[in-house]
Amino acid sequence: MPESSSTPTPPPPGASATAADSAAPPGGRRGRPRSERADRAILAATREALGELGWEGLSLAHVATRAGVARTTLYRRWNSKHELAVDAVAALFDDLELPDLGSLRADLEEVVGRFARLLARPEAQAALYALFAEGARDAALRARIREAVVTPTKTLVRKGRAAAQSRGELPPDTDAASAEADIDLIYDTIAGTVEHRVLVTGEPPDPAWAHRFTTLLLQGLGAAGA
Amino acid sequence: MPESSSTPTPPPPGASATAADSAAPPGGRRGRPRSERADRAILAATREALGELGWEGLSLAHVATRAGVARTTLYRRWNSKHELAVDAVAALFDDLELPDLGSLRADLEEVVGRFARLLARPEAQAALYALFAEGARDAALRARIREAVVTPTKTLVRKGRAAAQSRGELPPDTDAASAEADIDLIYDTIAGTVEHRVLVTGEPPDPAWAHRFTTLLLQGLGAAGA
Amino acid sequence: MPESSSTPTPPPPGASATAADSAAPPGGRRGRPRSERADRAILAATREALGELGWEGLSLAHVATRAGVARTTLYRRWNSKHELAVDAVAALFDDLELPDLGSLRADLEEVVGRFARLLARPEAQAALYALFAEGARDAALRARIREAVVTPTKTLVRKGRAAAQSRGELPPDTDAASAEADIDLIYDTIAGTVEHRVLVTGEPPDPAWAHRFTTLLLQGLGAAGA
Amino acid sequence: MPESSSTPTPPPPGASATAADSAAPPGGRRGRPRSERADRAILAATREALGELGWEGLSLAHVATRAGVARTTLYRRWNSKHELAVDAVAALFDDLELPDLGSLRADLEEVVGRFARLLARPEAQAALYALFAEGARDAALRARIREAVVTPTKTLVRKGRAAAQSRGELPPDTDAASAEADIDLIYDTIAGTVEHRVLVTGEPPDPAWAHRFTTLLLQGLGAAGA
DNA sequence: GATTAAACGAGACGGTACGTCGAGTCTTTCG
DNA sequence: CGAAAGACTCGACGTACCGTCTCGTTTAATC
């Protein structure tokens, strides 16, 4: 979770691991510090509960019990069930890294596979679409989702596209605005299609499907060896 | 909603409007028949409430009050908030028809536009992703979604693709299995990408974006004039 | 149920065995006549349900099902759950007859025993006090209770006292008003005490207790051989 | 309510006001303490609602609203409408004290009068018989009634009888078992008869009736001056 | 080492929605 | 036209969570 900003009153846990942290509590906080163990236990408990009970079955009371923590502690740190879920699920996206296997096709198939496996996890299935749905009405939540999920994922697209361009597999940018639109389009296409395949159509994106989809994508982008 | 089947005990309203209906009442139903006015009022109230309050704000008590109907009447006809929402939202998808503007590109851009406008409606935004999320855990709900939303939509893809093939814009089928996989892929790509653009990225798919996406798709499918 | 009067609109079943009945449907009733089988089945079902489920567990739906009768039929014949219960329980009081064993003490002990056994039946326990409680607020119900339960029971006291007077066991009346007050007092004392013993104290009025109580009563009334 | 015991999990309010209380809180209670204001408001609201609406009209929702308390608070403290009613009505019985007017007859007439006036209160009429009826099926409720209503009332009989014996108005005990049976008989007779007079016969026990009944009782018990 | 401020566990509180049940009423078709 | 069937309105039920609040109890950092 990079350069997080977040609400001020109840400082969310993810926000503490920034540069300001090493510079240390400047004025010097008094009183008992928050337990980091509790944070970890809560987020883990949230993921487990999401996986077992689904979004609607997720209750803060249950999370608190499972994490061995008082209910109050949850409310002190997160403003809502939604923000807690974002933080809990965000960690799953850390596994998504750029493979760099030498060719755009290989990288693409690998990324699609990784994303599909991520979406196959029940805690991700339970949380993602529910958060997206609520995000449509709640700007603060939308920002938090963007920060925790969208931006890091889109960065992958940005990097992978640049690498392919430097290898001559994709045509170079014409102008900055067009490049940005291109990145957004690619991102929406990959993420949206895989999500839809997994969560709506309900079939796993096996390698054969990944191959087929990658072909469509490469041809669509005018890739060199397509 | 074609030849729907559905649970017998609480006969869902959408299930009755089939061919079997006119031929049906064999012995003649006993007891007071269900009010069709109520059905319409409930579904309309559900759509309005979804638009105003979002998914989590939607309560059956509120829907009942707004529809001028007793709360028990809702429970008699639908097994859950989810199934009610499916029926309420399904009607929105009736507007999605194949344009047939003469060229694959024109048809595609038109369909993308229509689907985007559909997703821009707050009731659709509120319900769709929430239903998909729950559908991941509930097979019965998933089936109902498939029947009411997925199948009709996919039919559009099937017909449009066939039309393009007959016009020579798309290569003919090699074998049946491959054709089916092709249709699924196209469907997931179009639906998933547009949904992701609207609900996650949060930007409207304006004509410029639609043109760009259509280009990607046509090239990806190896269309004739791409 | 003697010379019943009762509500006019839904003619209660007990009311049918009157003079008007033998005189027969004068104008000639139209349509299907009411089933007497249904009446008996309903009252029996009511008693059974009262015994098994208690007063608060008694539901008209359950009675109807058990009696093999439509719920509508119940509402057509009785105005409320309370009146149905009165009729159902009233039949139990038919067993209470004057023993006439030759002495006041023997008669008293016998009556106390019979009344105690009546109150030991679960259907009587369930219904009686609940009806009395509701009767405190509902004059119509109170009248019906009086007619079906109180008056016949009090008649026993009246007759038994007269018999004892004629045998010289009790002093003769001084005036009519005083006699009436005497009867009321005896009735309240016997009925109230036995009921309280069974339902509140919760112990069965065995013969030893009946003997003790009878002694108190005989002495209290200034009986000859007490 | 003397040295009450009561269920532990939902500690009923009346149970706390004992001598053990001041010495008690041993380990120190954790969590927010229960509001005593709420207790008082709830019991008062229950009595008022009973008086106005009767037993069947008494709903916990209404009591909660009238007491200015959340509905959940009621369920947290009492297991059922019945137990709440017992606690609400029990307070009325605190007024029943032994008069000690110097003679058994005077004491008896006074007690009968007080008891009659208590039963004339609509909240008592509404609750008492309904509770007795339910108590016939529910042992826990029966115990609670015994503790809150029966035992304190019977204590009056015990004391009054002892006082009369010490004054020589009643014969002394022969043995303990017989004395106990005597007390039970007197209690059932007084309470049962007055209740029946008020609630079933429906006429108020005025002084004339009280005198007549007292005479019966004194003669029945073999009192000295009868 | 004493003070002190904040985090913490526990649990009561006012709310809101849930899904179920029963009471009565109304509207059909069948006998 | 009565009876069976069943949908209808209404309102209470008891439960579950929510988010807030009040307690008494740690637990470190500061004094």
Side-chain angles (χ1 to χ4, degrees):
Chain A
M1 187 179 295
E3 69 265 27
S4 101
S5 53
S6 306
T7 47
T9 343
S16 56
T18 41
D21 203 70
S22 54
R29 294 278 189 73
R30 307 237 308 180
R32 177 174 173 176
R34 288 189 177 169
S35 158
E36 295 183 21
R37 273 189 75 261
D39 266 353
R40 286 191 298 272
I42 292 168
L43 292 177
T46 303
R47 279 187 293 269
E48 293 170 17
L50 271 172
E52 293 174 14
L53 310 170
W55 175 259
E56 318 236 323
L58 179 69
S59 85
L60 294 193
H62 180 245
V63 169
T65 303
R66 183 189 286 247
V69 143
R71 218 150 47 84
T72 331
T73 301
L74 288 183
Y75 288 107
R76 205 173 292 121
R77 303 187 187 196
W78 286 276
N79 285 324
S80 72
K81 174 174 165 175
H82 299 99
E83 304 198 349
L84 169 61
V86 174
D87 285 357
V89 166
L92 300 177
F93 282 78
D94 294 346
D95 299 342
L96 283 186
E97 295 172 3
L98 195 63
D100 193 8
L101 300 176
S103 79
L104 180 54
R105 170 176 284 278
D107 284 5
L108 260 178
E109 289 194 16
E110 175 65 17
V111 157
V112 164
R114 286 189 193 175
F115 192 48
R117 283 191 293 278
L118 168 58
L119 290 182
R121 304 183 65 155
E123 59 266 40
Q125 289 192 1
L128 265 193
Y129 268 22
L131 288 173
F132 290 158
E134 188 66 15
R137 324 196 83 246
D138 179 343
L141 177 62
R142 199 161 53 238
R144 198 148 181 165
I145 293 173
R146 193 182 312 279
E147 172 193 347
V149 173
V150 172
T151 303
T153 314
K154 195 181 282 186
T155 300
L156 256 61
V157 173
R158 196 181 305 273
K159 287 187 188 166
R161 180 170 167 279
Q165 284 175 326
S166 72
R167 282 191 302 245
E169 292 180 290
L170 286 181
D173 294 348
T174 56
D175 63 298
S178 172
E180 202 57 34
D182 207 34
I183 289 167
D184 279 0
L185 176 61
I186 299 172
Y187 172 60
D188 283 331
T189 306
I190 297 178
T193 304
V194 177
E195 285 169 6
H196 200 267
R197 169 83 178 176
V198 176
L199 282 161
V200 182
T201 297
E203 291 181 45
D206 50 75
W209 184 86
H211 184 81
R212 210 180 256 270
F213 175 54
T214 302
T215 301
L216 186 152
L217 215 52
L218 290 176
Q219 286 182 359
L221 296 173
Chain B
M1 189 179 295
E3 68 267 26
S4 100
S5 55
S6 307
T7 47
T9 343
S16 57
T18 41
D21 203 68
S22 54
R29 295 279 184 75
R30 306 236 301 183
R32 177 173 173 177
R34 290 190 176 169
S35 159
E36 296 184 20
R37 272 191 76 260
D39 263 355
R40 287 191 296 272
I42 291 168
L43 293 177
T46 304
R47 280 188 291 269
E48 293 170 16
L50 271 173
E52 293 175 14
L53 309 169
W55 175 260
E56 318 234 324
L58 178 70
S59 85
L60 295 192
H62 181 245
V63 168
T65 302
R66 184 190 286 246
V69 144
R71 212 150 51 84
T72 30
T73 298
L74 289 184
Y75 290 107
R76 200 175 299 118
R77 302 189 184 196
W78 288 276
N79 287 324
S80 70
K81 174 174 164 175
H82 299 99
E83 304 199 351
L84 168 60
V86 174
D87 285 357
V89 166
L92 300 178
F93 282 77
D94 295 345
D95 298 343
L96 284 186
E97 296 172 2
L98 194 64
D100 193 8
L101 301 175
S103 80
L104 181 54
R105 168 175 286 276
D107 283 5
L108 261 178
E109 290 194 17
E110 175 64 18
V111 158
V112 164
R114 287 188 193 175
F115 191 47
R117 283 191 294 277
L118 169 58
L119 291 181
R121 302 182 66 155
E123 60 266 40
Q125 289 192 1
L128 264 193
Y129 268 22
L131 289 173
F132 290 157
E134 189 66 14
R137 325 197 82 248
D138 179 344
L141 177 62
R142 199 161 51 239
R144 198 149 181 165
I145 293 174
R146 193 182 311 279
E147 172 192 347
V149 173
V150 171
T151 303
T153 314
K154 194 181 282 187
T155 300
L156 257 59
V157 172
R158 197 181 304 274
K159 286 186 187 166
R161 181 170 167 278
Q165 285 176 325
S166 72
R167 282 191 301 247
E169 293 179 288
L170 285 181
D173 294 348
T174 56
D175 62 297
S178 173
E180 203 56 35
D182 208 35
I183 289 167
D184 280 0
L185 177 61
I186 297 171
Y187 172 60
D188 284 330
T189 305
I190 296 178
T193 304
V194 176
E195 285 169 7
H196 200 267
R197 170 80 178 180
V198 175
L199 282 161
V200 183
T201 298
E203 290 182 45
D206 49 73
W209 184 87
H211 183 81
R212 209 180 256 270
F213 175 55
T214 301
T215 302
L216 185 152
L217 214 52
L218 290 177
Q219 287 182 358
L221 296 175
Chain C
M1 188 179 293
E3 69 265 27
S4 102
S5 54
S6 307
T7 47
T9 343
S16 58
T18 41
D21 204 70
S22 53
R29 292 276 188 77
R30 306 233 308 177
R32 179 169 169 180
R34 288 188 176 173
S35 156
E36 295 184 21
R37 275 190 73 259
D39 267 352
R40 286 191 298 273
I42 291 168
L43 292 176
T46 303
R47 279 187 293 270
E48 293 171 17
L50 271 173
E52 294 174 13
L53 309 169
W55 174 259
E56 318 235 325
L58 178 70
S59 84
L60 296 194
H62 181 243
V63 169
T65 303
R66 184 189 286 247
V69 144
R71 219 149 46 84
T72 329
T73 301
L74 289 184
Y75 288 107
R76 205 173 294 123
R77 303 189 186 194
W78 287 275
N79 285 325
S80 71
K81 172 174 166 176
H82 299 100
E83 305 199 349
L84 169 61
V86 174
D87 285 357
V89 166
L92 300 177
F93 283 78
D94 295 345
D95 298 343
L96 284 185
E97 295 172 2
L98 196 63
D100 193 8
L101 300 176
S103 81
L104 181 53
R105 170 175 284 278
D107 284 4
L108 260 179
E109 290 193 17
E110 175 64 17
V111 157
V112 164
R114 287 189 192 174
F115 192 47
R117 281 191 296 277
L118 168 59
L119 290 181
R121 303 183 65 154
E123 61 265 40
Q125 290 192 1
L128 264 193
Y129 268 20
L131 288 173
F132 290 159
E134 188 65 15
R137 326 197 81 246
D138 179 344
L141 177 62
R142 196 161 55 239
R144 196 147 183 167
I145 293 173
R146 192 181 314 278
E147 169 193 348
V149 174
V150 172
T151 304
T153 315
K154 194 179 284 185
T155 300
L156 255 63
V157 173
R158 197 181 307 272
K159 287 187 187 166
R161 180 170 168 278
Q165 285 176 325
S166 71
R167 281 191 301 247
E169 291 179 290
L170 283 181
D173 294 347
T174 56
D175 63 298
S178 173
E180 203 57 35
D182 207 34
I183 290 167
D184 279 358
L185 176 61
I186 298 171
Y187 172 60
D188 285 329
T189 305
I190 298 179
T193 304
V194 177
E195 286 168 7
H196 200 268
R197 170 82 178 177
V198 175
L199 281 161
V200 181
T201 298
E203 291 180 46
D206 49 76
W209 183 87
H211 183 80
R212 212 181 255 268
F213 175 55
T214 302
T215 302
L216 186 151
L217 214 53
L218 290 176
Q219 287 183 357
L221 296 173
Chain D
M1 189 180 294
E3 67 265 31
S4 99
S5 54
S6 307
T7 47
T9 342
S16 57
T18 40
D21 203 69
S22 54
R29 293 285 182 75
R30 308 232 297 182
R32 176 172 172 176
R34 290 190 175 169
S35 158
E36 295 184 20
R37 273 190 75 258
D39 264 353
R40 287 190 297 271
I42 291 168
L43 293 176
T46 303
R47 279 187 292 269
E48 294 169 16
L50 271 172
E52 294 175 13
L53 309 169
W55 175 258
E56 318 233 324
L58 178 69
S59 84
L60 295 192
H62 182 245
V63 169
T65 302
R66 185 189 285 246
V69 144
R71 211 152 53 86
T72 33
T73 298
L74 289 183
Y75 290 108
R76 202 175 295 119
R77 302 189 185 196
W78 288 275
N79 287 325
S80 70
K81 174 174 165 175
H82 300 99
E83 304 199 349
L84 168 60
V86 174
D87 286 357
V89 165
L92 300 177
F93 284 75
D94 294 345
D95 299 343
L96 284 185
E97 296 173 2
L98 195 63
D100 194 8
L101 300 175
S103 80
L104 180 54
R105 168 175 285 278
D107 285 3
L108 260 179
E109 290 194 15
E110 174 65 18
V111 157
V112 164
R114 287 189 193 176
F115 192 47
R117 282 191 294 276
L118 168 58
L119 289 182
R121 303 183 65 156
E123 60 265 40
Q125 290 193 1
L128 263 193
Y129 268 19
L131 288 174
F132 290 158
E134 188 67 13
R137 324 196 84 246
D138 179 344
L141 177 63
R142 197 161 53 239
R144 198 150 182 163
I145 293 173
R146 191 181 312 277
E147 171 193 349
V149 173
V150 171
T151 304
T153 314
K154 193 181 285 186
T155 301
L156 255 61
V157 173
R158 196 181 306 272
K159 288 187 187 166
R161 179 170 169 278
Q165 285 176 324
S166 72
R167 282 192 301 246
E169 293 180 287
L170 285 181
D173 293 348
T174 55
D175 63 298
S178 173
E180 203 58 34
D182 206 35
I183 290 167
D184 279 358
L185 177 60
I186 298 172
Y187 171 60
D188 284 330
T189 305
I190 297 178
T193 304
V194 177
E195 286 169 7
H196 201 267
R197 168 84 178 174
V198 176
L199 281 160
V200 182
T201 298
E203 291 180 45
D206 50 76
W209 184 88
H211 184 81
R212 209 180 257 269
F213 175 54
T214 302
T215 302
L216 185 152
L217 214 52
L218 290 176
Q219 287 183 358
L221 295 174

